[in-house]
Amino acid sequence: MKVLFLNPQGNFDKNDSHLTEHPDFGGQLIYVKEVSKELANFNVSVDIVTRQIIDPDWPEFSKKLDYFDTNKNPTIVRIPFGGEKFLNKEQLWPYLNEYVDNIISFYKDQKIDFITTHYADGGYSGVLLKSKLGLNFSFTGHSLGAQKMDKLNVFHENFEDLDKEYHFSQRIMAERLSMKYASKIIVSTSMERYEQYSHPLYADVSEVENDRKYKVIPPGVNTEIFNDDLTDLDQETVAQIEKKLNKQQKPFIILSSRLDVKKNHLSVVKAYANSKVLQDTANLGIFLRGIPDPFTDIHKLSEKERSILSPILEEIEKADIKDKVYFFDLKSQKALATAYKFFSKLKSVFVLPSFYEPFGLAPIEAGACGLAIVATKNGGPSEIFSDGSGVLIDPEDTEDILDGLIKGLNNYDYYSKKVKKRVLENYTWKSTARGYLEVIEEGIKLPKESIEKVPSLDAKEIIIDYLRNKKN
Ligand SMILES: O=c1ccn([C@@H]2O[C@H](COP(=O)(O)OP(=O)(O)O[C@H]3O[C@H](CO)[C@@H](O)[C@H](O)[C@H]3O)[C@@H](O)[C@H]2O)c(=O)[nH]1
Ligand SMILES: O=P(O)(O)OC[C@H]1O[C@](O)(CO)[C@@H](O)[C@@H]1O
């Protein structure tokens, strides 16, 4: 059985190169890699179909065929489209027709049984393939544009400007078409289905009440990497941390996300900077892959990443807490897990203060390593920690963030034990792959259906109408 995973953005290689160093390299890539690898263990032939990049700044992604390991299944298939240079995900929209045409020619002599699609750009590519070949596909959103747009405070007055940067009109139309034409919509939690897909910008196409349309498949944690085995540590990382800490034994508050507005790092830095109690109780640890010393490296960053990092650095300098805030550059998930375990020995807390988090792989990974978890109540964490195994906070309320962090630190043993049990019982990539296998086996049996004409990628009218009503 041949199954394609369409993931035009970001890219894949055996070293997870650039992971979290760029906004397009995050949890979705881990998710697609781990599910594909587990599906391959069920003897499914999986191709992750992404983009060929021939660019000296991105040397890892030029080979047309690549692999994670010697099993050579999954195969990473890199299709040329949109020229050779690296492009941010927001710049890919005009080239997805070329992506799909080149997929069709690449697979002309191969039988494709089913297609899974990821994020709006993958979903739209699935719609185009269905219109040309009649193939059924599943859609996994990973993150939907409407929630991101709402949290960025987009109004109809500033929509045109923000649309130039975020391309919401193309992204939201792509999401709408993906929901309409997918044979299955895969969500990570049931709240994602009922809360995210029932958004006014999707409600007329997402059929939220149709049980046949949706399947809840929780993501997993790679427990070979993320576990509480304190003998399985990356020694280079331990040395890096010990050198910086210089025998410090205080607990830590850990922030580790991509530098993205929605991750809302600043809210925690502000809460910490304004609380003597927190500063006396714990240090603050910020993990920024590829940025060893932010105060000196900031000028090397993109304008968008600089705009996120500089207010954080200003807050630290203004509060004169440079001696309490530590930055770590962790080059792999193995190094990340070692850091989590090191700080769990100091009875530390992991915090995810996102304005909106569709699911959140980072908190369940950190929980598997024994950290107590404090996470946004907006999105997936509200379901993941609905059993009380983590502390849920309002990411826009500094007092609530402060109380949540104190609660996590003061009850470390209780939360650390409870979250490990919660994660290991509910979140494994093997069970995620089993869920995908059920979707694939059901999808293969469905009749082929063609789509007459795929509408153009433009939801501007619908969005401006929504924004006007939202304001009234
Ligand atoms: O220093 C770091 C920090 C993070 N990570 C990894 O980066 C990933 C982050 O994933 P996640 O916490 O899920 O956040 P996003 O990158 O924003 O992922 C998007 O896609 C995910 C998969 O669908 C969803 O869980 C998220 O909600 C969605 O925003 C994790 O696997 C981490 O292990 C690193 O490797 N190094
Ligand atoms: O922040 P956005 O634009 O909603 O997208 C989430 C991004 O995070 C990722 O995990 C990066 O891999 C992808 O889902 C996506 O590029």
Side-chain angles (χ1 to χ4, degrees):
M1 174 158 49
K2 169 66 80 179
V3 175
L4 307 188
F5 275 56
L6 303 190
N7 196 110
Q9 69 175 258
N11 220 292
F12 301 83
D13 75 334
K14 63 180 180 304
N15 300 318
D16 293 337
S17 300
H18 306 281
L19 190 67
T20 76
E21 291 176 356
H22 182 283
D24 299 357
F25 288 71
Q28 177 179 324
L29 303 186
I30 296 297
Y31 178 112
V32 167
K33 175 184 80 168
E34 296 289 356
V35 174
S36 306
K37 286 170 80 170
E38 286 296 346
L39 264 181
N41 292 338
F42 288 121
N43 296 321
V44 177
S45 170
V46 182
D47 288 0
I48 298 176
V49 186
T50 189
R51 180 167 177 253
Q52 184 181 34
I53 297 167
I54 302 172
D55 183 331
D57 294 338
W58 305 79
E60 305 86 355
F61 309 130
S62 59
K63 277 196 285 186
K64 279 205 82 165
L65 296 181
D66 206 351
Y67 308 93
F68 293 115
D69 49 37
T70 49
N71 300 341
K72 296 207 164 186
N73 181 25
T75 302
I76 301 163
V77 176
R78 298 194 186 103
I79 299 286
F81 70 98
E84 293 186 342
K85 294 282 176 268
F86 177 80
L87 296 172
N88 290 330
K89 62 175 181 267
E90 293 82 1
Q91 297 166 293
L92 294 177
W93 297 112
Y95 309 111
L96 294 178
N97 276 289
E98 184 189 2
Y99 171 59
V100 166
D101 290 343
N102 290 346
I103 288 173
I104 291 170
S105 18
F106 182 84
Y107 287 96
K108 65 181 180 315
D109 305 325
Q110 287 186 60
K111 181 173 176 295
I112 303 167
D113 292 295
F114 192 74
I115 294 175
T116 79
T117 69
H118 300 270
Y119 196 80
D121 46 19
Y124 179 62
S125 305
V127 174
L128 292 174
L129 268 172
K130 185 164 192 166
S131 71
K132 294 168 189 255
L133 302 180
L135 284 168
N136 287 311
F137 69 94
S138 65
F139 173 61
T140 307
H142 295 281
S143 173
L144 294 177
Q147 279 80 23
K148 179 160 189 170
M149 194 175 80
D150 287 347
K151 286 295 174 191
L152 283 177
N153 287 325
V154 177
F155 298 102
H156 75 272
E157 293 88 348
N158 65 2
F159 172 70
E160 295 287 344
D161 286 348
L162 280 164
D163 202 34
K164 289 191 185 81
E165 181 178 353
Y166 291 99
H167 295 261
F168 288 122
S169 48
Q170 290 160 301
R171 174 176 178 179
I172 287 171
M173 180 52 92
E175 290 162 347
R176 289 171 52 81
L177 293 170
S178 304
M179 294 170 197
K180 183 177 168 70
Y181 291 111
S183 64
K184 194 69 78 182
I185 295 174
I186 294 171
V187 290
S188 301
T189 59
S190 56
M191 67 78 60
E192 180 182 346
R193 166 182 174 182
Y194 291 106
E195 192 177 298
Q196 297 179 36
Y197 282 81
S198 57
H199 188 285
L201 285 170
Y202 307 126
D204 59 315
V205 290
S206 58
E207 297 179 64
V208 163
E209 296 309 325
N210 175 356
D211 287 338
R212 275 183 307 101
K213 187 93 175 167
Y214 288 83
K215 186 172 182 66
V216 180
I217 305 181
V221 169
N222 183 332
T223 48
E224 280 164 35
I225 301 171
F226 299 100
N227 54 54
D228 61 354
D229 175 359
L230 298 179
T231 63
D232 174 18
L233 300 173
D234 169 67
Q235 290 313 317
E236 203 184 302
T237 303
V238 171
Q240 182 202 126
I241 296 172
E242 283 178 339
K243 187 160 172 268
K244 281 209 171 186
L245 291 202
N246 190 17
K247 306 250 185 298
Q248 274 268 11
Q249 288 301 311
K250 266 162 77 172
F252 265 72
I253 295 163
I254 303 289
L255 273 165
S256 93
S257 288
R258 294 176 289 116
L259 273 183
D260 190 311
V261 173
K262 78 176 189 183
K263 297 297 185 178
N264 187 27
H265 294 75
L266 187 59
S267 66
V268 168
V269 176
K270 278 191 169 157
Y272 184 79
N274 294 300
S275 165
K276 193 84 182 61
V277 168
L278 263 190
Q279 291 167 34
D280 292 344
T281 314
N283 289 313
L284 182 59
I286 304 178
F287 297 176
L288 293 176
R289 182 164 164 176
I291 312 173
D293 182 351
F295 287 96
T296 55
D297 298 334
I298 185 161
H299 65 280
K300 298 177 202 155
L301 300 182
S302 69
E303 200 273 320
K304 193 188 277 190
E305 287 167 317
R306 270 202 312 275
S307 67
I308 296 164
L309 186 55
S310 43
I312 292 170
L313 302 184
E314 280 156 26
E315 194 66 36
I316 292 167
E317 288 181 313
K318 191 175 72 179
D320 190 22
I321 50 171
K322 277 180 96 166
D323 61 321
K324 298 181 172 63
V325 182
Y326 294 75
F327 290 94
F328 298 97
D329 167 17
L330 302 161
K331 293 288 184 207
S332 67
Q333 284 196 308
K334 174 83 180 161
L336 177 68
T338 294
Y340 285 158
K341 292 189 234 185
F342 185 104
F343 291 113
S344 70
K345 282 190 292 184
L346 300 179
K347 297 185 177 285
S348 302
V349 161
F350 170 93
V351 61
L352 179 77
S354 310
F355 290 121
Y356 196 91
E357 190 61 51
F359 180 74
L361 297 178
I364 58 175
E365 292 166 352
C369 296
L371 291 172
I373 305 301
V374 176
T376 177
K377 65 182 176 55
N378 299 339
S382 63
E383 187 162 311
I384 299 170
F385 304 111
S386 57
D387 67 330
S389 54
V391 181
L392 294 173
I393 52 168
D394 176 349
E396 298 175 85
D397 178 337
T398 306
E399 275 312 302
D400 200 38
I401 293 171
L402 195 57
D403 295 345
L405 290 170
I406 297 286
K407 191 173 176 187
L409 289 163
N410 290 352
N411 301 280
Y412 168 81
D413 294 328
Y414 169 80
Y415 286 110
S416 169
K417 186 162 173 282
K418 203 163 160 74
V419 69
K420 264 189 279 191
K421 185 169 178 298
R422 174 74 168 170
V423 171
L424 298 181
E425 284 174 359
N426 294 279
Y427 300 103
T428 69
W429 290 115
K430 190 178 287 298
S431 58
T432 312
R434 248 187 236 109
Y436 268 79
L437 202 50
E438 287 167 21
V439 168
I440 292 161
E441 286 165 348
E442 182 191 315
I444 284 177
K445 294 180 196 126
L446 291 173
K448 284 197 171 186
E449 51 181 14
S450 66
I451 303 171
E452 296 67 46
K453 188 179 175 319
V454 179
S456 66
L457 267 189
D458 183 357
K460 208 165 278 181
E461 297 279 302
I462 309 169
I463 294 173
I464 288 180
D465 189 40
Y466 159 73
L467 292 172
R468 282 190 198 286
N469 291 332
K470 192 169 88 160
K471 186 154 184 196
N472 303 340

